[in-house]
Amino acid sequence: MFIKNPRSKRENVFQKVYESESFKNVLKNRDIPSKFPSLVDIELTNHCNLSCSVCVQQIMTRDKGFMEWELFQKVIDECVLHNTPVRLIRLGEPFLHENIIEFCAYAKQKGLPLHITNNGLAISESDMKSLIDMELDVLIFSFQGASKEQYEIMRNNDRYDELVSNIAKIVELREDRKKPYIHISSTMMDESKDEIIRFMDYWAGIADSVGVGKTNLAQLSEGQLKSLKSMGKFEALKKRMTIKRVYSPCTEVYQKLSVDWNGKVTCCCGDYDNFMVVGDTAVSSLFDIWNHSGDLKRFRDMLDRNMHKSMPLCSTCYHTYEEF
């Protein structure tokens, strides 16, 4: 569900990518895939400042670290060659990277559309001013739930007011400038329709847009499931875990690549533990990985044949839930 602020005249430049025929209908032309991904996601770090109840951070086992400048520069320079937009997203909080502003400035100086998704609790006022000055294209603030109570339960913190204050601060600092486009995103578990509508109406009057989806509970540990049950979420869990799944060919593997902090490249944005690594920027370019990776071709073929059940990530992918 998505609502745009009726008073905002700002545009999300990434929406042009999402709504383009080549992106939306990528499966129609998968026999002749594009020569480069439509989007590249970059994980500046997989460290996080939160410990959320429903996050795969709790079960992730791969090494944690921070992307080096040379790697970031290499990825950005290649994206520039293909005029491919970049999103700073994935499994960590990007504002924990001490050089995030310098990294963003480099991408913007190169003329690339740039998007950041963050949890709103590591960004400083200085960061905000720098992002506004460099005209960052899109800044997404990620919530959980539709109320302060739900947020603090699911995100295991009491910092909701700080998050709200930070969003208000950057809106104030931005004034009437066109960028960054500010979007509020949240996922819901057992919130009522009225709660969700109130949440969306409130934020649609502050940010440029707001969107909500359903929380994916398919990849949680036993400890996380027990914790959710102890919170009184048993009925929501039962409902979410018994949804009939309908598998269909995946668009993701034909649309974008994701670069982890250490240069490993995966073809799935939800790949938290290197299940679908298709290359390494230390030895290959993104162009070569996109066009010549045997692993990428194998994953595409398996998903085209609806072999999701044989793939750990794909068998539980939230995109396959009828509820969505």
Side-chain angles (χ1 to χ4, degrees):
M1 189 183 299
F2 174 91
I3 295 178
K4 196 173 188 304
N5 185 335
R7 298 192 305 274
S8 174
K9 296 181 180 180
R10 297 178 183 86
E11 292 187 8
N12 180 349
V13 297
F14 279 75
Q15 206 63 35
K16 295 178 181 179
V17 177
Y18 306 145
E19 294 178 356
S20 67
E21 289 300 312
S22 60
F23 192 83
K24 290 193 302 181
N25 299 313
V26 67
L27 292 177
K28 291 183 179 180
N29 300 311
R30 62 182 182 268
D31 292 336
I32 311 175
S34 62
K35 292 300 182 181
F36 202 75
S38 298
L39 291 170
V40 171
D41 290 348
I42 298 178
E43 178 185 79
L44 294 188
T45 180
N46 58 346
H47 283 282
C48 191
N49 53 333
L50 298 181
S51 183
C52 302
S53 301
V54 294
C55 183
V56 291
Q57 273 270 346
Q58 312 306 318
I59 57 174
M60 181 173 64
T61 62
R62 63 186 171 98
D63 292 341
K64 292 187 176 182
F66 295 89
M67 183 171 283
E68 297 287 345
W69 164 251
E70 291 77 12
L71 172 57
F72 183 81
Q73 185 181 39
K74 178 181 179 182
V75 173
I76 292 298
D77 288 350
E78 187 171 5
C79 289
V80 169
L81 292 176
H82 299 276
N83 195 31
T84 297
V86 167
R87 305 188 304 182
L88 304 186
I89 196 170
R90 292 275 287 134
L91 270 297
E93 169 49 49
F95 285 99
L96 293 182
H97 198 297
E98 62 179 5
N99 300 123
I100 183 173
I101 297 303
E102 289 79 5
F103 282 20
C104 290
Y106 183 79
K108 289 306 301 174
Q109 288 165 7
K110 293 286 185 173
L112 279 185
L114 185 66
H115 154 139
I116 304 175
T117 293
N118 79 119
N119 63 38
L121 295 174
I123 187 172
S124 68
E125 184 171 334
S126 174
D127 293 335
M128 296 176 191
K129 292 177 179 178
S130 296
L131 296 174
I132 292 168
D133 288 343
M134 73 177 68
E135 297 190 331
L136 173 77
D137 295 282
V138 180
L139 183 63
I140 292 183
F141 287 92
S142 175
F143 280 70
Q144 182 76 47
S147 67
K148 177 178 180 177
E149 178 186 16
Q150 290 284 353
Y151 171 89
E152 294 186 346
I153 289 174
M154 302 305 291
R155 294 229 156 161
N156 285 326
N157 69 63
D158 59 358
R159 302 176 66 185
Y160 180 86
D161 292 336
E162 182 182 346
L163 169 57
V164 172
S165 177
N166 281 341
I167 296 172
K169 174 56 69 174
I170 192 167
V171 169
E172 175 191 349
L173 292 171
R174 183 186 58 177
E175 298 179 317
D176 60 354
R177 280 170 281 197
K178 292 184 178 180
K179 296 182 179 181
Y181 182 97
I182 297 173
H183 176 76
I184 306 299
S185 174
S186 187
T187 62
M188 306 295 166
M189 190 166 167
D190 58 354
E191 289 77 5
S192 69
K193 181 178 179 180
D194 287 343
E195 286 178 312
I196 294 172
I197 290 174
R198 281 197 298 271
F199 174 86
M200 297 191 74
D201 285 346
Y202 175 78
W203 285 108
I206 295 174
D208 298 301
S209 60
V210 56
V212 303
K214 287 288 186 179
T215 303
N216 181 20
L217 303 176
Q219 295 170 331
L220 304 186
S221 67
E222 285 299 317
Q224 286 174 297
L225 291 174
K226 289 179 181 178
S227 177
L228 287 174
K229 288 179 181 179
S230 71
M231 297 175 191
K233 303 292 184 182
F234 178 76
E235 288 303 320
L237 276 170
K238 184 178 178 181
K239 180 181 178 183
R240 302 289 296 134
M241 301 301 283
T242 57
I243 292 171
K244 181 182 177 181
R245 298 184 177 101
V246 178
Y247 299 113
S248 60
C250 178
T251 58
E252 172 113 357
V253 292
Y254 291 100
Q255 292 170 333
K256 57 181 181 276
L257 289 175
S258 297
V259 184
D260 288 346
W261 69 268
N262 59 1
K264 298 288 185 182
V265 179
T266 175
C267 60
C268 177
C269 64
D271 188 359
Y272 61 92
D273 246 351
N274 293 339
F275 293 103
M276 301 183 74
V277 170
V278 295
D280 190 333
T281 55
V283 295
S284 303
S285 67
L286 292 179
F287 179 88
D288 286 339
I289 293 170
W290 186 252
N291 291 282
H292 305 299
S293 168
D295 288 323
L296 179 56
K297 291 178 181 178
R298 177 168 58 87
F299 289 138
R300 284 173 171 171
D301 180 64
M302 293 176 71
L303 290 167
D304 283 347
R305 292 187 287 141
N306 292 339
M307 295 176 64
H308 300 64
K309 290 183 179 179
S310 64
M311 306 168 74
L313 278 181
C314 306
S315 63
T316 59
C317 179
Y318 66 80
H319 289 298
T320 63
Y321 288 173
E322 284 186 337
E323 188 172 352
F324 279 79

